[in-house]
Amino acid sequence: MSQTPDPFTHHPELRDRITSSENSFFRHLNVDDLLRQYPELEPFRSWMHSDETREAIRAQAMARHTGDLWVFAYGSLMWDPALRFQEVRRVHAAGYARRLILKDDKGGRGTQEAPGLMAALDAGPHCEGLAFRISEQDVAAETEILFRRELIGPGYVPKFIPVTSGETVIQAITFLADHDSPDMLPDIDRSEQVHLIATGGGILGTSHDYLFKIVQQLAHLGIEDPDCAALLQDVEDYRSRNQIEVAAP
């Protein structure tokens, strides 16, 4: 696809709804700096990928890629990609579903005392989201930032999948649920899922706020995700019944 001078040509409504790369916390995310700023996370250092491990995963994932890169976003990347991108488009991924099944008890949106949940892309009927295009000359630098953010530790598997924008098929890299990770809970029951999202919170905010932002961003795009919308309603009902107000630590 040809370059467009304005990244928001196809979606001007997103211009004020996506955090600029310069203002993103994730653009400069670094394990050593993170642990200095939040020493309470030091016990999880051994869980975090080393730079060497992460770079090996990135090299393998990107080995056959050439040209501009598309990144498929289905969770927080939809409003805060931390990437310098040339174009953003709404896309459809057949055969996958957005599921809140990744347990976070490492301090991001949950703690050991109050774990939370985040989204993963798992097998399912379909998933609507956004695709960001990165220019070829920026791919190396931007994927280093992307992998540092998405693979701070185990949980996801990077993979190129086909997504469609209108009649156009795009091969986009995304991060799938790693069922070999003990933090991935594909069989979590609804009551536990609701409880974790309702009560989890960490340095990035609450799990409830995370789910709320997903539903909000999708709604702004005119995308219906009945599963996420119903889950959010269940979480808010649970919080109301139990008078739960979760503030990030």
Side-chain angles (χ1 to χ4, degrees), residues 83-140:
L83 302 171
R84 292 181 179 141
F85 58 91
Q86 299 299 311
E87 185 177 355
V88 58
R89 291 196 180 206
R90 172 179 168 174
V91 295
H92 174 95
Y96 296 93
R98 178 179 19 249
R99 301 183 63 206
L100 273 84
I101 56 174
L102 178 60
K103 183 176 72 174
D104 182 356
D105 60 0
K106 311 294 191 302
R109 291 188 181 273
T111 63
Q112 296 279 294
E113 296 73 26
L117 288 178
M118 294 192 296
L121 195 63
D122 207 6
H126 62 87
C127 181
E128 304 278 348
L130 294 176
F132 297 93
R133 180 170 62 83
I134 300 171
S135 291
E136 180 177 8
Q137 65 266 24
D138 295 329
V139 167

Side-chain angles (χ1 to χ4, degrees), residues 166-181:
E167 299 298 317
T168 303
V169 179
I170 299 166
Q171 292 294 323
I173 195 166
T174 193
F175 295 86
L176 305 182
D178 181 359
H179 284 224
D180 290 333
S181 169

Side-chain angles (χ1 to χ4, degrees), residues 20-227:
S20 69
S21 59
E22 290 74 16
N23 294 329
S24 175
F25 165 83
F26 297 104
R27 187 160 185 86
H28 306 287
L29 180 63
N30 174 282
V31 167
D32 290 333
D33 290 344
L34 185 69
L35 295 179
R36 275 193 291 271
Q37 186 174 0
Y38 300 100
E40 67 271 23
L41 303 183
E42 182 63 39
F44 306 118
R45 183 186 286 271
S46 62
W47 167 84
M48 298 175 180
H49 282 316
S50 67
D51 290 343
E52 292 76 15
T53 297
R54 189 180 309 108
E55 283 299 285
I57 296 171
R58 180 169 73 111
Q60 182 176 21
M62 299 297 298
R64 297 185 179 181
H65 175 77
T66 59
D68 290 359
L69 176 71
W70 287 91
V71 178
F72 177 55
Y74 57 85
S76 61
L77 288 173
M78 290 193 297
W79 64 85
D80 188 4
L83 302 171
R84 292 181 179 141
F85 58 91
Q86 299 299 311
E87 185 177 355
V88 58
R89 291 196 180 206
R90 172 179 168 174
V91 295
H92 174 95
Y96 296 93
R98 178 179 19 249
R99 301 183 63 206
L100 273 84
I101 56 174
L102 178 60
K103 183 176 72 174
D104 182 356
D105 60 0
K106 311 294 191 302
R109 291 188 181 273
T111 63
Q112 296 279 294
E113 296 73 26
L117 288 178
M118 294 192 296
L121 195 63
D122 207 6
H126 62 87
C127 181
E128 304 278 348
L130 294 176
F132 297 93
R133 180 170 62 83
I134 300 171
S135 291
E136 180 177 8
Q137 65 266 24
D138 295 329
V139 167
E142 297 303 308
T143 55
E144 194 274 331
I145 291 166
L146 176 65
F147 276 65
R148 214 174 343 111
R149 179 245 191 90
E150 295 298 296
L151 289 178
I152 190 169
Y156 295 125
V157 176
K159 184 178 179 180
F160 281 87
I161 65 170
V163 298
T164 56
S165 173
E167 299 298 317
T168 303
V169 179
I170 299 166
Q171 292 294 323
I173 195 166
T174 193
F175 295 86
L176 305 182
D178 181 359
H179 284 224
D180 290 333
S181 169
D183 294 326
M184 196 61 65
L185 309 176
D187 300 318
I188 188 171
D189 66 51
R190 184 67 161 208
S191 62
E192 181 68 5
Q193 188 181 37
V194 168
H195 172 74
L196 293 181
I197 297 170
T199 59
I203 63 172
L204 300 179
T206 66
S207 291
H208 165 261
D209 184 56
Y210 174 79
L211 175 58
F212 176 82
K213 286 181 177 178
I214 288 175
V215 173
Q216 183 183 57
Q217 191 77 326
L218 293 175
H220 195 75
L221 286 160
I223 296 172
E224 293 185 7
D225 186 324
D227 291 338

